[in-house]
Amino acid sequence: MKNLAHPDQFRDRHIGPREDEINNMLQEVGVDSLNTLISETVPDNILLKKELNLDEAVSEQDYIKNLKEIAAKNKIYKTYIGMGYYPTITPSVILRNILENPGWYTQYTPYQAEIAQGRLEALLNFQTAVIDLTGMPIANASLLDEGTAAAEAMSLFYSLRKNKDTNVFFVSKECFPQTIDVLKARAIPLNIELRIGDHSKMEFTDDIFGMFVQYPSGNGEIYDYKEIFNSAKEKNILKVVATDLMSLALLTPPGKFGADVVVGSSQRFGVPMGYGGPHAAFFATKEEFKRHIPGRIIGVSIDSNGNNAFRMALQTREQHIRREKATSNICTAQVLLAVMAGMYAVYHGPQGIRKIAERINKLTNLLNESLKSLGYKQTNKNFFDTLNILSEKEIINKIRDVALNNKINFRYSDDNSIGMSISETNDINDINEIISVFAKAAGKENDSTLFKSLSEGIKINFPAHLTRTTDYLQHPVFNLHHSETEMLRYLKRLENKDLSLVHSMIPLGSCTMKLNATSEMIGVTWPEFANLHPFAPKDQAEGYKEIFSQLENDLSELTGLSATSVQPNSGAQGEFTGLLVIRQYHISKGEGHRNIVLIPSSAHGTNPASAVMAGMKVIVVACDANGNIDLNDLRKKAEENKENLSALMVTYPSTHGVFETEIQKICKIIHDNGGQVYMDGANMNAQVGLTSPAIIGADVCHLNLHKTFCIPHGGGGPGVGPISVAKHLVPFLPSHSVVDINNKNGIHAVSSAPWGSAGILLISHAYIKMMGSSGLKSATEIAILNANYIKSKLEKHYKVLYKGRKGRVAHELIFDTRPFKIFDIEVEDIAKRLMDYGYHAPTVSFPVAGTLMIEPTESESKNELDRFCDALISIREEIREIEEGKADRKDNVLKNAPHTIVSIIAGEWNHSYSREKAAFPVEWTKLNKFWPSVGRVNNAYGDRNLVCSCNPISDYAEESVL
């Protein structure tokens, strides 16, 4: 039968090098076969001894056909559930040119600002929209979801509290239940007491450090919090408000009535529900908290030519610098979705947003008046889009039956109430349909004459103290791009400023920027997957259930562990979740005192930050001269702390890019001293099909689906970080307060949605199904080959810092550029000069300062690897010119990199090297030149002069003239 298999196999499209190229690369590396290379790289005692139990690979055509059949099992009803998730209209120009465009979704996090100006500007638009609508002076460039944003606010308040004896965080009982669930998960390990109650009856006791309310409330009522917030301020209680951006087009913004932090989701700004995500949350706060804001802030600085340039601001807050002292472990944001939400605001502008909000409110008012005419009791006095109907249980059941028969979902509560939220997708016919449902359940007729009369008299009607009086979205960017032609050109203008995988290899060590295939992505925007509410009845999501089941089983098989939870919606979230599961396991055994986590000095910065968030104490374990964990130091610290040892956090292969031969012994030391082993899955790209976390001895691991399993990085998010666990940890996997996900005894939810960012799990599902077990193994082998090929090509020019046994590296490697400092060349200079060659820099100064960490991935062809190596060899020769005195130490192509087209062609050329050398350092750059849009960005200036919203109109006018 194999000779009748489809000749066009996905693995051959995913893996870059062809068979003849692989043989040439093996010759360069100095081995006779891939098997030999793997045997010299991966310790024999941890190699898989059997084939993976996965489905045989299917072709792209067959996968898409099968996916259509799975999608058809999802039922898309008209959904009025609300609770933070709303049907929305994604403008087609945004759908096609951002969400479905690899020029946007294959970008990396904008650490290299000079080649990321497009998405940085788009994120500044997002921040500006949030700042304007919330009435706060500063905002970040997105968080994971509304629940985790609220948890970040609570953690921020807790770290800022002046009286360290205060540990109570008050939460209004009218907040969304999923948010309260996430707050519980975050509060428990930090010994924060959540006091959940009626905010109108709140007692301002001395033990409260912060409070949290919803605006509009979870049931839809709009409360005036001004007096309560004034009282809280007198007691030094900080206030966080969760809000709905769309409602703020009409309502008084939280910044006007005393909020210290405002959080929420931007989902209804054109981002599909996707059965729960991904969606960009927002976090806005006061100027005084700017250095404590979790996540990323985009700021405005200047470049080397004195021109305005965007950058990520205040990066000293990053976890890799602060480590266990970080107040947040946030690493992945939701950049792609924040870009979409910001562009939704750009496309509609202030008048368009207001019209959408007014129409939603008018339809809700019409529904309210119509229901009252039928005799129903609606409890919300003031509301934006949500009504709350009280009735007898018998009537509620009738309404549910009639609604489901008409393919309509409402929100049903235990207190015999029905909630319904209107969205921008609804029209007057939908309102009439709802009225007919309620009329039929009450045994009455829907009076069309009355309905028409009511519809003609509906107005916006908020009390003056709740009505917005301030303008928003006044910057020209929100007022110039309302025709599709202008919008399309604006999007393309920004896209052209950004380097992504559509241009060239992005060789980032530890970040795995591999192919994000179109066939993997194609199902994400299908309405059967995109338009499903996460709290819809589960029998309406049978297609998603099938995807989850298959993906969880496959990930468990690949890790060798017993079960998987896909709820964590980032890698750092997976770390936190895994540690909470370990913590709960120890508690179940009566050993809740175990709170020591051992972490190697080479670990990702999110590791110690996650450990502290999980209530643990961090003890750092030394590494030896070869970059491996110091076994003696590990044993000493494990034995010294054996009574309180909770876990070891270890990355495998190591963060230094080698397979440590003693990994099983390392895990045994931890187990012998009562601890659990948490494996950071950042480097699973070197494990899949060859070894597994279970084989090395791990009890739990997280998997970066946005790395190993092909979900695109999206310019810095979305990411997904599911965890796989051994059998004894299965009972403690995350639960959910709204949807029963069969983990009733598990820890509280770590994400707002039951299955996290469900909408993009399709991508990893597609990758695994189209690759099959042999394809996945081949991908790992070629990833290791590509890294060792780069090593062989470049080690004559740059020192390889760490090598494994027999001189091999894993899927990534570190080059030491510190020797060039004697010629005044820093690692940053090499990174910036690579831009002139059309390449994104490798990972800079991690995990060792002054080094470049390179990961080529299996998707890059030999030709692309050769071009990249030629670029670095050429740069080495440019450094040699400085060594030999042929080039000036201060005025040279590296120090002045990157070179913009304006700097090359405009004005007098005063440099000691030629324009051609600056712009076209090798011949092939003349054929396909990517031009950085700004010169080297001045980071220090940007931090000293923090601006994180759109420039003043005067600046914009000056730019327009240019």
Side-chain angles (χ1 to χ4, degrees):
M1 296 292 285
K2 287 187 177 180
N3 63 333
L4 294 177
H6 200 292
D8 195 5
Q9 292 297 305
F10 176 74
R11 62 183 287 176
D12 298 325
R13 303 296 183 185
H14 176 80
I15 294 174
R18 305 297 89 188
E19 198 64 39
D20 60 326
E21 293 176 333
I22 291 173
N23 292 330
N24 290 336
M25 293 165 70
L26 289 169
Q27 187 174 355
E28 170 72 31
V29 170
V31 291
D32 58 2
S33 69
L34 271 174
N35 286 338
T36 301
L37 175 62
I38 298 305
S39 70
E40 292 181 1
T41 305
V42 185
D44 182 67
N45 62 322
I46 64 168
L47 283 170
L48 276 170
K49 307 302 181 187
K50 62 180 181 66
E51 287 293 314
L52 292 167
N53 183 24
L54 299 175
D55 295 337
E56 287 190 22
V58 298
S59 68
E60 294 181 64
Q61 294 78 8
D62 285 342
Y63 179 79
I64 293 171
K65 178 184 175 183
N66 295 340
L67 190 64
K68 278 286 186 187
E69 294 173 356
I70 294 174
K73 297 177 184 178
N74 289 333
K75 303 171 185 175
I76 306 300
Y77 286 13
K78 288 184 178 177
T79 293
Y80 304 95
I81 296 171
M83 297 177 69
Y85 302 94
Y86 308 91
T88 187
I89 298 170
T90 306
S92 297
V93 67
I94 294 175
L95 177 72
R96 175 64 59 87
N97 294 288
I98 294 180
L99 183 55
E100 296 178 342
N101 181 356
W104 283 95
Y105 66 66
T106 68
Q107 302 162 348
Y108 180 59
T109 305
Y111 289 116
Q112 298 295 337
E114 295 84 357
I115 51 175
Q117 289 296 295
R119 104 201 64 139
L120 286 166
E121 180 174 334
L123 290 173
L124 201 72
N125 293 343
F126 173 81
Q127 288 180 179
T128 303
V130 170
I131 287 168
D132 283 2
L133 287 164
T134 61
M136 304 299 288
I138 191 169
N140 70 8
S142 79
L143 291 176
L144 299 177
D145 58 31
E146 184 167 326
T148 51
E152 292 291 338
M154 176 182 70
S155 297
L156 172 66
F157 290 175
Y158 188 64
S159 67
L160 291 175
R161 71 199 196 283
K162 295 177 180 178
N163 182 356
K164 299 304 179 183
D165 292 329
T166 58
N167 74 324
V168 174
F169 187 66
F170 179 88
V171 179
S172 169
K173 66 181 181 180
E174 294 189 55
C175 294
F176 291 140
Q178 71 270 19
T179 300
I180 295 176
D181 205 16
V182 174
L183 286 171
K184 289 177 180 177
R186 190 72 67 89
I188 290 172
L190 297 178
N191 294 316
I192 296 173
E193 178 189 336
L194 291 189
R195 188 170 295 168
I196 303 169
D198 185 340
H199 65 266
S200 66
K201 300 177 181 177
M202 176 182 173
E203 295 183 16
F204 296 95
T205 53
D206 291 337
D207 54 357
I208 300 175
F209 66 87
M211 65 180 294
F212 175 55
V213 297
Q214 193 102 29
Y215 174 76
S217 75
N219 289 330
E221 180 68 55
I222 302 169
Y223 294 105
D224 182 358
Y225 295 112
K226 189 171 184 179
E227 288 188 14
I228 295 173
F229 278 19
N230 286 338
S231 298
K233 185 177 181 180
E234 291 176 0
K235 301 286 287 187
N236 294 317
I237 296 171
L238 295 173
K239 297 84 60 187
V240 57
V241 177
T243 192
D244 170 11
L245 283 183
M246 187 64 75
S247 73
L248 297 183
L250 305 180
L251 298 177
T252 300
K256 293 295 183 181
F257 56 76
D260 294 297
V261 169
V262 183
V263 300
S265 171
S266 62
Q267 178 266 316
R268 72 190 309 172
F269 270 41
V271 181
M273 290 185 289
Y275 205 42
H279 308 132
F282 58 85
F283 188 108
T285 188
K286 295 180 175 180
E287 188 80 20
E288 63 197 84
F289 301 140
K290 65 185 179 184
R291 294 191 178 274
H292 304 278
I293 295 177
R296 301 167 182 150
I297 306 172
I298 307 308
V300 181
S301 186
I302 57 173
D303 73 355
S304 54
N305 302 309
N307 299 316
N308 279 357
F310 307 113
R311 59 181 282 274
M312 288 170 60
L314 302 177
Q315 288 309 294
T316 53
R317 302 168 306 113
E318 287 286 305
Q319 293 76 20
H320 291 302
I321 296 170
R322 301 194 67 199
R323 300 181 74 81
E324 66 268 21
K325 294 180 181 178
T327 54
S328 169
N329 73 339
I330 289 295
C331 185
T332 306
Q334 300 284 25
V335 169
L336 185 66
L337 300 316
V339 168
M340 288 179 66
M343 290 305 178
Y344 180 94
V346 169
Y347 191 50
H348 288 293
Q351 294 179 2
I353 296 293
R354 184 172 183 86
K355 286 177 181 177
I356 293 169
E358 286 180 344
R359 183 171 173 275
I360 290 170
N361 185 248
K362 286 178 180 178
L363 289 173
T364 310
N365 276 311
L366 174 59
L367 178 58
N368 181 50
E369 294 301 320
S370 300
L371 289 174
K372 283 163 61 176
S373 72
L374 290 172
Y376 285 97
K377 180 182 179 183
Q378 199 281 119
T379 64
N380 292 336
K381 180 181 178 184
N382 298 302
F383 52 82
F384 168 62
D385 65 353
T386 300
L387 303 179
N388 190 55
I389 307 296
L390 289 180
S391 192
E392 296 81 17
K393 189 172 184 178
E394 181 182 354
I395 297 296
I396 297 286
N397 290 336
K398 284 183 180 179
I399 292 170
R400 188 198 302 262
D401 292 341
V402 176
L404 289 175
N405 285 337
N406 285 274
K407 296 186 177 181
I408 292 174
N409 290 325
F410 297 128
R411 173 184 174 185
Y412 302 95
S413 301
D414 294 335
D415 61 354
N416 290 334
S417 68
I418 298 178
M420 60 194 81
S421 298
I422 303 303
S423 71
E424 70 164 320
T425 64
N426 298 129
D427 57 26
I428 197 165
N429 294 323
D430 295 324
I431 304 303
N432 198 25
E433 186 178 39
I434 295 172
I435 297 305
S436 296
V437 169
F438 277 79
K440 186 173 182 179
K444 298 180 180 180
E445 291 292 325
N446 183 1
D447 189 334
S448 58
T449 302
L450 176 61
F451 182 76
K452 183 179 180 182
S453 174
L454 291 171
S455 64
E456 291 173 351
I458 290 300
K459 298 178 181 178
I460 304 294
N461 187 25
F462 293 122
H465 64 282
L466 295 177
T467 301
R468 183 175 193 118
T469 58
T470 52
D471 291 332
Y472 50 88
L473 306 183
Q474 294 302 293
H475 189 275
V477 75
F478 300 107
N479 294 278
L480 291 175
H481 309 294
H482 299 161
S483 74
E484 181 158 339
T485 304
E486 287 298 326
M487 187 67 179
L488 178 63
R489 290 171 182 164
Y490 180 59
L491 294 177
K492 284 298 175 183
R493 189 159 70 246
L494 296 192
E495 180 189 342
N496 291 340
K497 293 181 179 182
D498 281 26
L499 188 143
S500 68
L501 282 177
V502 307
H503 296 99
S504 58
M505 166 185 172
I506 299 180
L508 289 153
S510 195
C511 289
T512 314
M513 297 291 292
K514 63 169 73 177
L515 171 70
N516 313 125
T518 306
S519 291
E520 295 163 358
M521 302 290 294
I522 203 162
V524 170
T525 53
W526 290 355
E528 297 91 338
F529 292 115
N531 296 345
L532 199 60
H533 194 288
F535 303 152
K538 286 197 287 186
D539 64 358
Q540 296 174 22
E542 291 296 324
Y544 262 117
K545 180 181 178 182
E546 190 169 331
I547 295 291
F548 297 154
S549 176
Q550 292 179 9
L551 181 60
E552 288 171 357
N553 288 339
D554 288 349
L555 293 178
S556 297
E557 174 67 17
L558 290 169
T559 59
L561 297 167
S562 296
T564 297
S565 167
V566 296
Q567 189 179 109
N569 52 10
S570 81
Q573 192 83 281
E575 295 173 14
F576 174 64
T577 307
L579 292 173
L580 287 188
V581 167
I582 289 173
R583 179 181 181 277
Q584 198 61 34
Y585 167 72
H586 287 312
I587 290 172
S588 74
K589 293 178 61 184
E591 298 182 342
H593 58 276
R594 290 188 173 272
N595 67 342
I596 299 294
V597 174
L598 302 181
I599 300 180
S601 59
S602 63
H604 290 87
T606 52
N607 284 184
S610 295
V612 171
M613 278 174 50
M616 308 293 186
K617 295 180 180 178
V618 174
I619 294 179
V620 177
V621 177
C623 290
D624 63 22
N626 296 316
N628 299 319
I629 293 174
D630 186 321
L631 222 62
N632 291 328
D633 192 48
L634 176 74
R635 184 180 290 106
K636 175 176 177 288
K637 287 171 179 174
E639 291 175 353
E640 285 176 350
N641 296 282
K642 64 181 179 180
E643 298 303 321
N644 296 305
L645 181 62
S646 176
L648 166 74
M649 297 185 80
V650 61
T651 302
Y652 200 74
S654 76
T655 311
H656 291 140
V658 294
F659 283 93
E660 298 190 38
T661 57
E662 303 293 345
I663 187 63
Q664 289 180 323
K665 188 178 293 185
I666 287 168
C667 294
K668 186 175 186 301
I669 290 171
I670 300 303
H671 289 142
D672 288 348
N673 287 280
Q676 297 283 289
V677 175
Y678 168 90
M679 194 204 84
D680 184 313
N683 292 340
M684 273 297 291
N685 210 40
Q687 279 199 45
V688 175
L690 297 181
T691 183
S692 73
I695 289 175
I696 72 168
D699 301 287
V700 55
C701 72
H702 91 267
L703 303 168
N704 295 95
L705 299 192
H706 50 290
K707 294 184 181 180
T708 303
F709 296 95
C710 291
I711 290 176
H713 285 65
V720 183
I723 61 168
S724 298
V725 298
K727 186 177 181 180
H728 60 284
L729 297 178
V730 173
F732 311 109
L733 288 172
S735 59
H736 198 271
S737 62
V738 180
V739 179
D740 181 4
I741 57 174
N742 301 318
N743 292 333
K744 289 185 177 178
N745 296 319
I747 61 172
H748 289 286
V750 294
S751 301
S752 292
W755 290 279
S757 292
I760 53 174
L761 295 177
L762 302 166
I763 301 166
S764 298
H765 179 269
Y767 173 63
I768 293 170
K769 295 304 180 189
M770 291 192 292
M771 290 291 279
S773 57
S774 63
L776 291 169
K777 181 180 179 182
S778 294
T780 308
E781 291 172 337
I782 301 303
I784 291 173
L785 171 62
N786 283 1
N788 281 278
Y789 179 70
I790 283 181
K791 171 183 168 292
S792 295
K793 292 267 287 184
L794 292 180
E795 62 185 345
K796 297 182 287 291
H797 308 277
Y798 298 88
K799 177 185 176 184
V800 179
L801 195 57
Y802 299 114
K803 303 175 187 178
R805 62 196 189 109
K806 300 189 177 180
R808 302 301 177 197
V809 295
H811 65 309
E812 60 190 6
L813 68 162
I814 299 173
F815 287 110
D816 191 356
T817 62
R818 290 171 295 186
F820 305 136
K821 292 185 75 168
I822 61 172
F823 309 112
D824 296 331
I825 296 299
E826 303 287 344
V827 66
E828 183 185 26
D829 299 322
I830 299 173
K832 303 306 180 187
R833 180 58 173 159
L834 267 170
M835 296 176 189
D836 289 330
Y837 289 78
Y839 281 107
H840 194 291
T843 301
V844 175
S845 290
F846 175 81
V848 180
T851 64
L852 292 172
M853 189 182 193
I854 297 174
E855 179 181 354
T857 86
E858 71 274 11
S859 294
E860 299 300 340
S861 68
K862 178 178 180 295
N863 285 339
E864 184 68 1
L865 298 179
D866 287 340
R867 272 194 297 272
F868 175 71
C869 289
D870 288 347
L872 278 175
I873 291 169
S874 178
I875 289 173
R876 179 65 186 91
E877 291 306 309
E878 292 171 348
I879 297 172
R880 199 178 314 280
E881 290 176 358
I882 300 170
E883 293 178 42
E884 296 173 354
K886 297 176 181 178
D888 188 86
R889 283 198 177 201
K890 301 299 180 184
D891 181 34
N892 57 65
V893 287
L894 283 97
K895 283 296 181 185
N896 295 328
H899 298 83
T900 66
I901 191 168
V902 174
S903 69
I904 293 293
I905 67 173
E908 188 178 350
W909 186 257
N910 295 316
H911 299 297
S912 58
Y913 52 93
S914 70
R915 298 176 195 258
E916 184 174 8
K917 184 180 181 67
F920 303 109
V922 288
E923 193 64 25
W924 43 261
T925 57
K926 296 178 181 178
L927 301 175
N928 185 25
K929 175 70 177 179
F930 178 87
W931 289 99
S933 57
V934 297
R936 194 174 303 193
V937 176
N938 188 325
N939 292 322
Y941 178 92
D943 281 350
R944 288 195 307 268
N945 305 277
L946 182 63
V947 176
C948 67
S949 60
C950 291
N951 296 345
I953 292 176
S954 57
D955 288 359
Y956 188 91
E958 290 169 9
E959 291 168 10
S960 298
V961 171
L962 294 174

